[in-house]
Coordinates of all heavy atoms in Angstrom, one line a residue:
M1 N -33.0 -4.4 13.8 CA -33.4 -5.7 13.3 C -32.5 -6.8 13.8 O -31.3 -6.7 13.7 CB -33.6 -5.7 11.8 CG -34.8 -6.5 11.4 SD -35.2 -6.1 9.7 CE -34.1 -7.2 8.8
W2 N -33.0 -8.0 14.1 CA -32.2 -9.1 14.5 C -31.6 -9.8 13.3 O -32.3 -10.1 12.4 CB -33.0 -10.1 15.4 CG -33.3 -9.6 16.7 CD1 -33.3 -8.3 17.2 CD2 -33.6 -10.4 17.8 NE1 -33.6 -8.3 18.5 CE2 -33.8 -9.6 18.9 CE3 -33.8 -11.8 18.0 CZ2 -34.1 -10.1 20.2 CZ3 -34.1 -12.3 19.3 CH2 -34.3 -11.4 20.4
S3 N -30.3 -10.1 13.4 CA -29.7 -10.9 12.4 C -30.1 -12.4 12.6 O -30.6 -12.8 13.7 CB -28.2 -10.8 12.4 OG -27.7 -11.5 13.6
R4 N -30.0 -13.2 11.5 CA -30.4 -14.6 11.6 C -29.5 -15.3 12.7 O -30.0 -16.2 13.4 CB -30.1 -15.2 10.2 CG -30.6 -16.6 10.2 CD -30.7 -17.1 8.7 NE -31.8 -16.4 8.0 CZ -32.1 -16.6 6.7 NH1 -31.4 -17.6 6.1 NH2 -33.1 -16.0 6.1
R5 N -28.2 -14.8 12.8 CA -27.3 -15.5 13.8 C -27.8 -15.3 15.2 O -27.9 -16.2 16.0 CB -25.9 -15.0 13.6 CG -24.9 -15.8 14.4 CD -23.5 -15.3 14.1 NE -23.1 -15.6 12.8 CZ -22.0 -15.2 12.2 NH1 -21.1 -14.5 12.9 NH2 -21.7 -15.5 11.0
V6 N -28.2 -14.1 15.5 CA -28.7 -13.8 16.9 C -30.0 -14.5 17.2 O -30.2 -15.1 18.2 CB -29.0 -12.2 17.0 CG1 -29.7 -11.9 18.3 CG2 -27.7 -11.4 17.0
L7 N -30.9 -14.6 16.2 CA -32.1 -15.3 16.3 C -31.9 -16.8 16.6 O -32.4 -17.4 17.5 CB -32.9 -15.2 15.0 CG -34.4 -15.2 15.2 CD1 -34.9 -13.8 15.7 CD2 -35.1 -15.6 13.9
L8 N -30.9 -17.4 15.8 CA -30.6 -18.8 16.1 C -30.0 -19.0 17.4 O -30.4 -20.0 18.1 CB -29.6 -19.2 15.0 CG -30.2 -19.9 13.8 CD1 -29.0 -20.2 12.8 CD2 -30.9 -21.2 14.1
A9 N -29.1 -18.1 17.9 CA -28.5 -18.3 19.2 C -29.6 -18.2 20.3 O -29.6 -19.0 21.2 CB -27.5 -17.2 19.4
S10 N -30.5 -17.3 20.1 CA -31.6 -17.1 21.1 C -32.5 -18.4 21.2 O -32.8 -18.9 22.2 CB -32.5 -15.9 20.8 OG -31.7 -14.8 20.5
L11 N -32.8 -18.9 20.0 CA -33.6 -20.1 19.9 C -32.9 -21.3 20.6 O -33.5 -22.0 21.3 CB -33.9 -20.4 18.4 CG -35.2 -19.9 17.8 CD1 -35.3 -20.2 16.4 CD2 -36.4 -20.4 18.6
T12 N -31.6 -21.4 20.3 CA -30.8 -22.5 20.9 C -30.9 -22.4 22.4 O -31.1 -23.4 23.1 CB -29.4 -22.5 20.4 OG1 -29.5 -22.5 19.0 CG2 -28.6 -23.7 20.8
A13 N -30.7 -21.2 22.9 CA -30.7 -21.0 24.4 C -32.0 -21.4 25.0 O -32.1 -22.0 26.0 CB -30.3 -19.6 24.7
L14 N -33.1 -21.0 24.3 CA -34.4 -21.2 24.7 C -34.7 -22.7 24.8 O -35.2 -23.2 25.7 CB -35.4 -20.5 23.8 CG -36.7 -20.1 24.4 CD1 -36.4 -18.7 25.2 CD2 -37.7 -19.9 23.4
L15 N -34.3 -23.4 23.7 CA -34.5 -24.9 23.6 C -33.7 -25.6 24.7 O -34.2 -26.5 25.3 CB -34.1 -25.4 22.3 CG -35.1 -25.1 21.1 CD1 -34.6 -25.5 19.8 CD2 -36.4 -25.9 21.4
G16 N -32.5 -25.1 25.0 CA -31.7 -25.7 26.0 C -32.4 -25.6 27.4 O -32.4 -26.6 28.1
M17 N -33.0 -24.5 27.7 CA -33.7 -24.3 28.9 C -34.9 -25.2 29.1 O -35.1 -25.8 30.1 CB -34.2 -22.8 29.1 CG -33.1 -21.9 29.5 SD -33.5 -20.1 29.1 CE -35.0 -19.9 30.1
V18 N -35.6 -25.4 27.9 CA -36.8 -26.2 27.9 C -36.4 -27.6 28.2 O -37.0 -28.3 29.0 CB -37.6 -26.1 26.6 CG1 -38.6 -27.2 26.5 CG2 -38.2 -24.7 26.5
S19 N -35.3 -28.1 27.5 CA -35.0 -29.5 27.7 C -34.4 -29.8 29.1 O -34.7 -30.9 29.7 CB -33.9 -30.0 26.6 OG -32.7 -29.3 26.8
V20 N -33.7 -28.8 29.7 CA -33.3 -29.0 31.0 C -34.4 -29.2 32.0 O -34.5 -30.1 32.8 CB -32.3 -27.9 31.5 CG1 -32.1 -27.8 33.0 CG2 -31.0 -28.0 30.8
S21 N -35.4 -28.3 31.9 CA -36.5 -28.4 32.8 C -37.3 -29.6 32.6 O -37.9 -30.2 33.5 CB -37.4 -27.1 32.8 OG -37.9 -27.0 31.5
A22 N -37.4 -30.1 31.4 CA -38.2 -31.3 31.1 C -37.5 -32.5 31.6 O -38.2 -33.5 31.8 CB -38.4 -31.4 29.6
H23 N -36.2 -32.5 31.9 CA -35.5 -33.7 32.3 C -35.2 -33.7 33.8 O -34.6 -34.7 34.3 CB -34.3 -33.9 31.5 CG -34.5 -34.4 30.1 ND1 -35.0 -35.7 29.9 CD2 -34.3 -33.9 28.9 CE1 -35.1 -35.8 28.6 NE2 -34.7 -34.8 28.0
A24 N -35.5 -32.7 34.5 CA -35.1 -32.6 35.9 C -36.3 -32.3 36.8 O -36.4 -31.2 37.4 CB -34.0 -31.6 36.1
A25 N -37.2 -33.3 36.9 CA -38.4 -33.0 37.8 C -38.0 -33.3 39.2 O -37.0 -34.1 39.5 CB -39.5 -33.9 37.4
T26 N -38.7 -32.7 40.1 CA -38.5 -33.0 41.6 C -39.8 -33.6 42.1 O -40.9 -33.0 41.9 CB -38.2 -31.7 42.3 OG1 -37.0 -31.2 41.9 CG2 -38.1 -32.0 43.8
I27 N -39.7 -34.8 42.7 CA -40.9 -35.5 43.1 C -40.9 -35.5 44.7 O -39.9 -36.0 45.3 CB -41.0 -36.9 42.6 CG1 -41.2 -36.8 41.0 CG2 -42.1 -37.7 43.2 CD1 -40.2 -37.6 40.2
E28 N -41.9 -35.0 45.3 CA -42.0 -34.9 46.8 C -42.7 -36.1 47.3 O -43.8 -36.5 46.8 CB -42.7 -33.7 47.2 CG -41.9 -32.4 46.9 CD -42.5 -31.2 47.4 OE1 -43.7 -31.2 47.9 OE2 -41.8 -30.1 47.4
I29 N -42.1 -36.8 48.3 CA -42.8 -37.9 49.0 C -42.7 -37.5 50.5 O -41.7 -37.3 51.1 CB -42.0 -39.2 48.8 CG1 -42.1 -39.6 47.3 CG2 -42.7 -40.3 49.6 CD1 -41.3 -40.9 47.0
T30 N -43.9 -37.4 51.1 CA -44.0 -37.0 52.5 C -44.0 -38.2 53.4 O -44.6 -39.3 53.0 CB -45.4 -36.2 52.7 OG1 -45.3 -35.0 51.8 CG2 -45.5 -35.8 54.2
I31 N -43.3 -38.1 54.5 CA -43.4 -39.2 55.5 C -44.1 -38.6 56.7 O -43.7 -37.6 57.3 CB -42.0 -39.6 55.9 CG1 -41.1 -40.0 54.8 CG2 -42.1 -40.7 57.0 CD1 -39.6 -40.3 55.1
E32 N -45.3 -39.2 57.0 CA -46.0 -38.6 58.1 C -46.8 -39.8 58.8 O -47.4 -40.6 58.1 CB -47.0 -37.6 57.6 CG -47.7 -36.8 58.7 CD -48.4 -35.5 58.2 OE1 -48.7 -35.5 57.0 OE2 -48.6 -34.6 59.0
N33 N -46.7 -39.9 60.1 CA -47.4 -41.0 60.8 C -46.9 -42.3 60.4 O -47.8 -43.2 60.1 CB -48.9 -40.8 60.8 CG -49.3 -39.5 61.4 OD1 -48.8 -39.1 62.4 ND2 -50.3 -38.9 60.8
L34 N -45.7 -42.5 60.0 CA -45.0 -43.7 59.6 C -45.6 -44.3 58.3 O -45.8 -45.4 58.1 CB -45.2 -44.8 60.7 CG -44.3 -44.5 61.9 CD1 -45.1 -43.7 63.0 CD2 -43.8 -45.8 62.6
V35 N -45.9 -43.3 57.4 CA -46.4 -43.7 56.1 C -45.7 -42.8 55.0 O -45.6 -41.6 55.2 CB -47.9 -43.4 56.0 CG1 -48.4 -43.7 54.5 CG2 -48.7 -44.3 57.0
F36 N -45.2 -43.5 53.9 CA -44.7 -42.8 52.7 C -45.9 -42.4 51.9 O -46.8 -43.3 51.6 CB -43.8 -43.7 51.9 CG -42.5 -44.0 52.6 CD1 -42.3 -45.4 52.9 CD2 -41.5 -43.1 52.8 CE1 -41.0 -45.7 53.5 CE2 -40.3 -43.4 53.4 CZ -40.0 -44.7 53.7
S37 N -46.0 -41.1 51.5 CA -47.2 -40.7 50.7 C -46.7 -39.7 49.6 O -46.1 -38.7 49.9 CB -48.2 -40.0 51.6 OG -49.3 -39.5 50.8
P38 N -46.9 -40.0 48.3 CA -47.6 -41.2 47.9 C -46.7 -42.4 48.0 O -45.4 -42.3 47.8 CB -47.8 -40.9 46.4 CG -46.8 -40.0 46.0 CD -46.5 -39.1 47.2
A39 N -47.2 -43.6 48.2 CA -46.5 -44.8 48.3 C -45.9 -45.3 47.0 O -44.9 -45.9 46.9 CB -47.3 -45.9 49.0
N40 N -46.6 -44.9 45.9 CA -46.2 -45.3 44.6 C -45.9 -44.0 43.8 O -46.8 -43.2 43.6 CB -47.3 -46.1 43.9 CG -47.5 -47.4 44.6 OD1 -46.6 -48.3 44.7 ND2 -48.7 -47.6 45.1
A41 N -44.7 -43.9 43.3 CA -44.3 -42.7 42.6 C -43.7 -43.1 41.3 O -43.1 -44.2 41.1 CB -43.3 -41.8 43.4
K42 N -43.8 -42.2 40.3 CA -43.2 -42.5 39.0 C -42.2 -41.4 38.7 O -42.4 -40.2 39.1 CB -44.2 -42.4 37.9 CG -45.0 -43.7 37.8 CD -45.9 -43.7 36.5 CE -46.7 -45.0 36.5 NZ -47.8 -44.9 35.5
A43 N -41.0 -41.7 38.2 CA -40.0 -40.8 37.9 C -39.1 -41.2 36.7 O -39.4 -42.2 36.1 CB -39.1 -40.7 39.1
T44 N -38.2 -40.3 36.3 CA -37.3 -40.6 35.2 C -35.9 -40.4 35.7 O -35.6 -39.6 36.6 CB -37.6 -39.6 34.1 OG1 -39.0 -39.7 33.7 CG2 -36.7 -39.9 32.8
V45 N -35.0 -41.2 35.1 CA -33.6 -41.1 35.5 C -33.2 -39.6 35.4 O -33.5 -39.0 34.5 CB -32.7 -42.0 34.6 CG1 -31.2 -41.7 34.8 CG2 -32.9 -43.4 34.9
G46 N -32.5 -39.1 36.4 CA -32.1 -37.7 36.5 C -33.0 -36.9 37.4 O -32.7 -35.8 37.8
D47 N -34.2 -37.4 37.7 CA -35.1 -36.7 38.6 C -34.6 -36.8 40.0 O -33.8 -37.6 40.3 CB -36.6 -37.3 38.5 CG -37.3 -37.0 37.2 OD1 -36.7 -36.2 36.4 OD2 -38.4 -37.5 37.0
T48 N -35.1 -35.9 40.8 CA -34.8 -35.9 42.2 C -36.0 -36.3 43.0 O -37.1 -35.7 42.9 CB -34.3 -34.5 42.6 OG1 -33.2 -34.1 41.9 CG2 -33.9 -34.4 44.1
I49 N -35.8 -37.2 43.9 CA -36.9 -37.5 44.9 C -36.5 -36.7 46.2 O -35.4 -36.7 46.6 CB -36.9 -39.0 45.3 CG1 -37.2 -39.9 44.0 CG2 -37.9 -39.3 46.4 CD1 -38.6 -39.8 43.5
V50 N -37.5 -36.0 46.7 CA -37.3 -35.3 48.0 C -38.3 -35.9 49.0 O -39.5 -35.8 48.8 CB -37.6 -33.8 47.8 CG1 -37.5 -33.1 49.1 CG2 -36.6 -33.2 46.8
W51 N -37.7 -36.5 50.0 CA -38.5 -37.0 51.1 C -38.6 -35.9 52.2 O -37.6 -35.3 52.5 CB -37.9 -38.2 51.7 CG -38.1 -39.5 50.9 CD1 -39.2 -40.3 51.0 CD2 -37.2 -40.1 50.0 NE1 -39.0 -41.4 50.1 CE2 -37.8 -41.3 49.5 CE3 -35.9 -39.8 49.6 CZ2 -37.1 -42.1 48.6 CZ3 -35.2 -40.6 48.7 CH2 -35.9 -41.7 48.2
I52 N -39.9 -35.7 52.6 CA -40.1 -34.7 53.6 C -40.6 -35.4 54.9 O -41.7 -35.9 54.9 CB -41.2 -33.7 53.1 CG1 -40.7 -33.0 51.8 CG2 -41.5 -32.6 54.2 CD1 -41.8 -32.4 51.0
N53 N -39.7 -35.5 55.9 CA -40.1 -36.3 57.1 C -40.7 -35.4 58.1 O -40.1 -34.5 58.7 CB -38.8 -36.9 57.7 CG -39.1 -37.8 58.8 OD1 -40.3 -37.9 59.2 ND2 -38.1 -38.4 59.5
K54 N -42.0 -35.5 58.2 CA -42.8 -34.6 59.1 C -42.9 -35.3 60.5 O -43.4 -34.7 61.5 CB -44.2 -34.4 58.6 CG -44.1 -33.6 57.3 CD -45.6 -33.1 56.9 CE -45.5 -32.2 55.7 NZ -46.8 -31.7 55.3
D55 N -42.4 -36.5 60.7 CA -42.5 -37.2 61.9 C -41.4 -36.7 62.9 O -40.4 -36.1 62.5 CB -42.3 -38.7 61.7 CG -43.6 -39.3 61.2 OD1 -44.7 -38.7 61.3 OD2 -43.5 -40.4 60.7
I56 N -41.6 -37.0 64.2 CA -40.5 -36.7 65.2 C -39.6 -37.9 65.3 O -38.7 -38.0 66.2 CB -41.1 -36.4 66.5 CG1 -42.0 -37.5 67.0 CG2 -41.8 -35.0 66.5 CD1 -42.4 -37.4 68.5
F57 N -39.7 -39.0 64.4 CA -38.9 -40.1 64.4 C -37.9 -40.1 63.2 O -38.2 -39.5 62.2 CB -39.7 -41.4 64.3 CG -40.9 -41.5 65.1 CD1 -42.2 -41.4 64.6 CD2 -40.8 -41.6 66.5 CE1 -43.3 -41.4 65.3 CE2 -41.9 -41.7 67.3 CZ -43.2 -41.6 66.7
A58 N -36.8 -40.7 63.4 CA -35.9 -40.9 62.3 C -36.4 -42.1 61.5 O -36.9 -43.1 62.0 CB -34.5 -41.3 62.8
H59 N -36.3 -42.0 60.1 CA -36.7 -43.0 59.2 C -35.6 -43.3 58.2 O -34.5 -42.6 58.2 CB -38.0 -42.7 58.4 CG -39.2 -42.5 59.3 ND1 -39.8 -43.5 60.0 CD2 -39.9 -41.4 59.6 CE1 -40.9 -43.0 60.6 NE2 -41.0 -41.7 60.4
T60 N -35.7 -44.2 57.4 CA -34.9 -44.4 56.2 C -35.7 -44.7 55.0 O -36.8 -45.1 55.1 CB -33.8 -45.6 56.4 OG1 -34.5 -46.8 56.2 CG2 -33.1 -45.5 57.7
A61 N -35.2 -44.4 53.8 CA -35.7 -44.9 52.6 C -34.6 -45.8 52.0 O -33.6 -45.4 51.5 CB -36.0 -43.7 51.6
T62 N -34.9 -47.1 52.1 CA -33.9 -48.1 51.8 C -34.3 -49.0 50.6 O -35.3 -49.7 50.8 CB -33.6 -49.0 53.0 OG1 -33.2 -48.1 54.1 CG2 -32.5 -50.0 52.8
A63 N -33.6 -48.9 49.5 CA -34.0 -49.7 48.4 C -33.7 -51.2 48.6 O -32.6 -51.5 49.1 CB -33.2 -49.3 47.1
R64 N -34.7 -52.0 48.3 CA -34.5 -53.5 48.6 C -33.4 -54.1 47.7 O -32.8 -55.0 48.0 CB -35.8 -54.2 48.3 CG -36.8 -54.0 49.4 CD -38.0 -55.0 49.4 NE -39.1 -54.5 50.3 CZ -39.1 -54.6 51.6 NH1 -38.1 -55.2 52.2 NH2 -40.1 -54.2 52.3
N65 N -33.2 -53.4 46.5 CA -32.1 -53.9 45.6 C -30.7 -53.4 45.9 O -29.8 -53.6 45.2 CB -32.5 -53.7 44.2 CG -32.5 -52.2 43.8 OD1 -32.1 -51.4 44.7 ND2 -32.8 -51.9 42.6
G66 N -30.6 -52.6 47.0 CA -29.3 -52.1 47.5 C -28.9 -50.8 46.7 O -27.8 -50.3 47.0
D67 N -29.7 -50.3 45.8 CA -29.3 -49.1 45.0 C -29.0 -47.9 45.9 O -28.1 -47.1 45.7 CB -30.4 -48.7 44.0 CG -30.2 -49.4 42.7 OD1 -29.3 -50.3 42.6 OD2 -31.0 -49.2 41.7
W68 N -29.9 -47.7 46.9 CA -29.7 -46.5 47.8 C -30.3 -46.8 49.2 O -31.1 -47.7 49.4 CB -30.2 -45.2 47.2 CG -31.4 -45.3 46.4 CD1 -31.5 -45.3 45.0 CD2 -32.8 -45.4 46.7 NE1 -32.8 -45.4 44.5 CE2 -33.6 -45.5 45.6 CE3 -33.5 -45.4 48.0 CZ2 -35.0 -45.6 45.6 CZ3 -34.9 -45.6 48.0 CH2 -35.6 -45.6 46.8
D69 N -29.7 -46.0 50.2 CA -30.2 -46.2 51.6 C -30.0 -44.8 52.1 O -29.0 -44.3 52.4 CB -29.2 -47.2 52.3 CG -29.7 -47.4 53.7 OD1 -30.8 -46.9 54.1 OD2 -29.0 -48.0 54.5
V70 N -31.2 -44.1 52.2 CA -31.2 -42.7 52.5 C -31.7 -42.4 53.9 O -32.9 -42.8 54.2 CB -32.0 -41.9 51.5 CG1 -31.9 -40.4 51.7 CG2 -31.6 -42.2 50.1
A71 N -30.9 -41.9 54.8 CA -31.4 -41.6 56.2 C -32.3 -40.4 56.1 O -32.1 -39.5 55.4 CB -30.1 -41.3 57.1
Q72 N -33.4 -40.5 56.9 CA -34.4 -39.4 57.0 C -34.5 -39.0 58.4 O -35.3 -39.5 59.2 CB -35.7 -40.0 56.5 CG -35.7 -40.7 55.2 CD -35.5 -39.8 54.0 OE1 -35.7 -38.6 54.1 NE2 -35.2 -40.3 52.9
P73 N -33.7 -38.0 58.8 CA -33.8 -37.5 60.2 C -35.1 -36.8 60.5 O -35.8 -36.4 59.5 CB -32.6 -36.4 60.3 CG -31.8 -36.7 59.1 CD -32.7 -37.3 58.0
P74 N -35.6 -36.8 61.8 CA -36.8 -36.2 62.1 C -36.9 -34.7 61.6 O -35.9 -34.0 61.7 CB -36.9 -36.3 63.6 CG -35.7 -36.9 64.0 CD -34.8 -37.3 62.9
K75 N -38.1 -34.4 61.1 CA -38.4 -33.0 60.7 C -37.4 -32.4 59.7 O -37.1 -31.2 59.6 CB -38.3 -32.1 62.0 CG -39.4 -32.5 63.0 CD -40.8 -32.1 62.5 CE -41.8 -32.5 63.5 NZ -43.2 -32.2 63.1
K76 N -36.8 -33.3 58.8 CA -35.9 -32.9 57.8 C -36.4 -33.3 56.4 O -37.2 -34.1 56.2 CB -34.5 -33.5 58.0 CG -33.8 -33.0 59.3 CD -33.1 -31.7 59.1 CE -32.2 -31.3 60.2 NZ -32.8 -30.3 61.1
T77 N -35.8 -32.6 55.4 CA -36.1 -32.9 54.0 C -34.8 -33.3 53.3 O -33.8 -32.7 53.4 CB -36.6 -31.6 53.3 OG1 -37.8 -31.2 53.9 CG2 -36.8 -31.8 51.8
V78 N -34.8 -34.5 52.7 CA -33.6 -35.1 52.2 C -33.8 -35.5 50.7 O -34.8 -36.2 50.3 CB -33.2 -36.4 52.9 CG1 -32.0 -37.0 52.4 CG2 -33.1 -36.1 54.4
P79 N -33.0 -35.0 49.8 CA -33.1 -35.3 48.4 C -32.3 -36.5 47.9 O -31.3 -36.8 48.6 CB -32.5 -34.0 47.7 CG -31.5 -33.5 48.7 CD -31.9 -34.0 50.1
L80 N -32.7 -37.1 46.8 CA -31.9 -38.2 46.2 C -32.1 -38.0 44.7 O -33.2 -38.0 44.2 CB -32.4 -39.5 46.7 CG -31.8 -40.7 45.9 CD1 -30.4 -41.0 46.3 CD2 -32.7 -42.0 46.1
V81 N -31.0 -38.0 43.9 CA -31.0 -37.9 42.5 C -31.0 -39.4 42.0 O -30.2 -40.2 42.4 CB -29.9 -37.1 41.9 CG1 -29.9 -37.2 40.3 CG2 -29.9 -35.7 42.3
L82 N -32.0 -39.7 41.2 CA -32.1 -41.1 40.7 C -31.2 -41.3 39.5 O -31.2 -40.6 38.5 CB -33.6 -41.4 40.3 CG -34.6 -41.3 41.4 CD1 -36.0 -41.2 40.9 CD2 -34.4 -42.4 42.4
R83 N -30.3 -42.3 39.6 CA -29.3 -42.6 38.6 C -29.6 -43.8 37.8 O -29.0 -44.0 36.7 CB -27.9 -42.8 39.3 CG -27.5 -41.6 40.1 CD -27.1 -40.4 39.2 NE -26.6 -39.3 40.0 CZ -26.6 -38.0 39.5 NH1 -27.0 -37.8 38.3 NH2 -26.1 -37.0 40.2
K84 N -30.5 -44.7 38.2 CA -30.7 -46.0 37.5 C -32.2 -46.2 37.3 O -33.0 -45.9 38.2 CB -30.2 -47.1 38.3 CG -28.6 -47.2 38.3 CD -28.1 -48.2 39.3 CE -28.4 -49.6 39.0 NZ -27.8 -50.5 40.1
A85 N -32.6 -46.7 36.1 CA -33.9 -47.1 35.8 C -34.3 -48.4 36.5 O -33.5 -49.2 36.9 CB -34.2 -47.2 34.3
G86 N -35.6 -48.5 36.7 CA -36.1 -49.8 37.2 C -37.3 -49.5 38.2 O -37.6 -48.4 38.5
S87 N -38.0 -50.6 38.6 CA -39.0 -50.5 39.6 C -38.4 -50.9 40.9 O -38.0 -52.0 41.2 CB -40.1 -51.5 39.3 OG -41.1 -51.4 40.2
I88 N -38.3 -49.8 41.8 CA -37.5 -50.0 43.0 C -38.5 -50.0 44.2 O -39.1 -49.0 44.5 CB -36.5 -48.9 43.2 CG1 -35.5 -49.0 42.0 CG2 -35.7 -48.9 44.5 CD1 -34.7 -47.7 41.7
D89 N -38.5 -51.1 44.9 CA -39.3 -51.2 46.2 C -38.3 -50.7 47.3 O -37.2 -51.1 47.3 CB -39.7 -52.6 46.5 CG -40.7 -53.1 45.4 OD1 -41.6 -52.3 45.1 OD2 -40.6 -54.3 45.1
Y90 N -38.9 -49.9 48.2 CA -38.0 -49.5 49.3 C -38.9 -49.5 50.6 O -40.1 -49.7 50.6 CB -37.5 -48.1 49.0 CG -38.5 -46.9 49.0 CD1 -38.6 -46.2 50.2 CD2 -39.2 -46.6 47.9 CE1 -39.5 -45.1 50.2 CE2 -40.1 -45.5 47.9 CZ -40.3 -44.8 49.1 OH -41.2 -43.8 49.0
Y91 N -38.2 -49.4 51.7 CA -38.8 -49.5 53.0 C -38.0 -48.7 54.0 O -36.9 -48.2 53.7 CB -38.9 -51.0 53.4 CG -37.6 -51.7 53.7 CD1 -37.2 -52.0 55.1 CD2 -36.7 -52.0 52.7 CE1 -35.9 -52.5 55.3 CE2 -35.5 -52.6 53.0 CZ -35.1 -52.8 54.3 OH -33.9 -53.4 54.5
C92 N -38.5 -48.7 55.2 CA -37.8 -48.0 56.3 C -37.1 -49.1 57.2 O -37.9 -50.0 57.7 CB -38.7 -47.1 57.1 SG -38.0 -46.5 58.6
R93 N -35.8 -49.0 57.4 CA -35.2 -50.0 58.3 C -35.6 -50.0 59.7 O -35.6 -51.1 60.4 CB -33.6 -49.8 58.2 CG -33.0 -50.3 56.9 CD -31.5 -50.3 56.9 NE -31.0 -49.0 56.7 CZ -30.4 -48.2 57.6 NH1 -30.2 -48.7 58.8 NH2 -29.9 -47.1 57.3
H94 N -36.1 -48.9 60.2 CA -36.6 -48.8 61.6 C -38.0 -49.3 61.7 O -38.4 -49.8 62.8 CB -36.5 -47.4 62.1 CG -35.1 -46.8 61.9 ND1 -34.0 -47.4 62.3 CD2 -34.7 -45.6 61.4 CE1 -32.9 -46.6 62.0 NE2 -33.4 -45.5 61.4
H95 N -38.8 -49.2 60.7 CA -40.2 -49.5 60.7 C -40.5 -50.3 59.4 O -41.0 -49.7 58.5 CB -41.1 -48.3 60.8 CG -40.6 -47.3 61.8 ND1 -39.9 -46.2 61.5 CD2 -40.8 -47.3 63.2 CE1 -39.6 -45.5 62.6 NE2 -40.1 -46.2 63.7
P96 N -40.2 -51.6 59.4 CA -40.3 -52.4 58.1 C -41.7 -52.4 57.5 O -41.9 -52.8 56.3 CB -39.9 -53.8 58.5 CG -39.1 -53.6 59.8 CD -39.7 -52.4 60.5
N97 N -42.7 -52.0 58.3 CA -44.1 -51.9 57.7 C -44.2 -50.7 56.7 O -45.1 -50.6 56.0 CB -45.1 -51.7 58.8 CG -45.4 -53.0 59.5 OD1 -45.1 -54.1 58.9 ND2 -45.9 -52.9 60.7
M98 N -43.2 -49.7 56.8 CA -43.3 -48.6 55.9 C -42.7 -49.0 54.6 O -41.5 -49.3 54.5 CB -42.5 -47.4 56.5 CG -43.0 -46.8 57.8 SD -41.9 -45.6 58.6 CE -41.8 -44.4 57.2
K99 N -43.5 -48.9 53.5 CA -43.1 -49.3 52.2 C -43.5 -48.4 51.1 O -44.5 -47.7 51.3 CB -43.7 -50.7 51.9 CG -43.2 -51.8 52.8 CD -44.1 -53.1 52.5 CE -43.9 -54.1 53.6 NZ -44.9 -55.1 53.6
G100 N -42.7 -48.4 50.1 CA -43.0 -47.6 48.9 C -42.4 -48.2 47.7 O -41.5 -49.1 47.8
T101 N -42.8 -47.7 46.5 CA -42.2 -48.1 45.2 C -42.0 -46.9 44.4 O -42.9 -46.0 44.3 CB -43.2 -49.1 44.5 OG1 -43.4 -50.2 45.3 CG2 -42.6 -49.6 43.2
I102 N -40.9 -46.8 43.7 CA -40.6 -45.8 42.7 C -40.3 -46.5 41.4 O -39.4 -47.2 41.3 CB -39.4 -44.9 43.1 CG1 -39.7 -44.2 44.5 CG2 -39.2 -43.8 42.1 CD1 -38.5 -43.4 45.1
V103 N -41.1 -46.2 40.4 CA -40.9 -46.7 39.0 C -40.0 -45.6 38.3 O -40.6 -44.6 38.1 CB -42.1 -47.1 38.3 CG1 -41.8 -47.6 36.9 CG2 -42.9 -48.1 39.1
V104 N -38.8 -46.0 38.0 CA -37.9 -45.0 37.3 C -37.7 -45.4 35.9 O -37.2 -46.5 35.6 CB -36.5 -45.0 38.0 CG1 -35.6 -43.9 37.5 CG2 -36.7 -44.8 39.6
A105 N -38.2 -44.5 35.0 CA -38.1 -44.8 33.6 C -36.7 -44.3 33.1 O -36.1 -43.4 33.6 CB -39.2 -44.0 32.8
P106 N -36.2 -45.0 32.0 CA -34.9 -44.5 31.5 C -35.1 -43.1 30.8 O -36.2 -42.7 30.5 CB -34.6 -45.5 30.3 CG -35.7 -46.5 30.4 CD -36.7 -46.1 31.3
Q107 N -34.0 -42.4 30.7 CA -34.1 -41.0 30.3 C -34.4 -41.0 28.8 O -33.9 -41.8 28.1 CB -32.8 -40.3 30.5 CG -32.9 -38.8 30.8 CD -31.7 -38.2 31.4 OE1 -30.6 -38.8 31.2 NE2 -31.8 -37.2 32.2
Ligands
CU201 CU1 -39.4 -45.4 59.8

């Protein structure tokens, strides 16, 4: 039979796992034919954005407010952990017509 202490320890471990997974989502944004898709994404501080560049061109994901500037080599997947909340407009420095927005909610 399980003692109350063992039961409590198991429950705490279980809750810890649940809260970790609830706070660390990964959001994929594909770059294909010079388009970010989806162009509008929602995330929470601590989440990871993963850009998947399917093009044969180099791109960037450059925040207009200067928060981040992420190089996107051709045919590569590049992650970024979001550290600050806000509505962040970004674009590609090589192709300024490429635009996206990530709305980052506080944790
Ligand atoms: Cu580009």
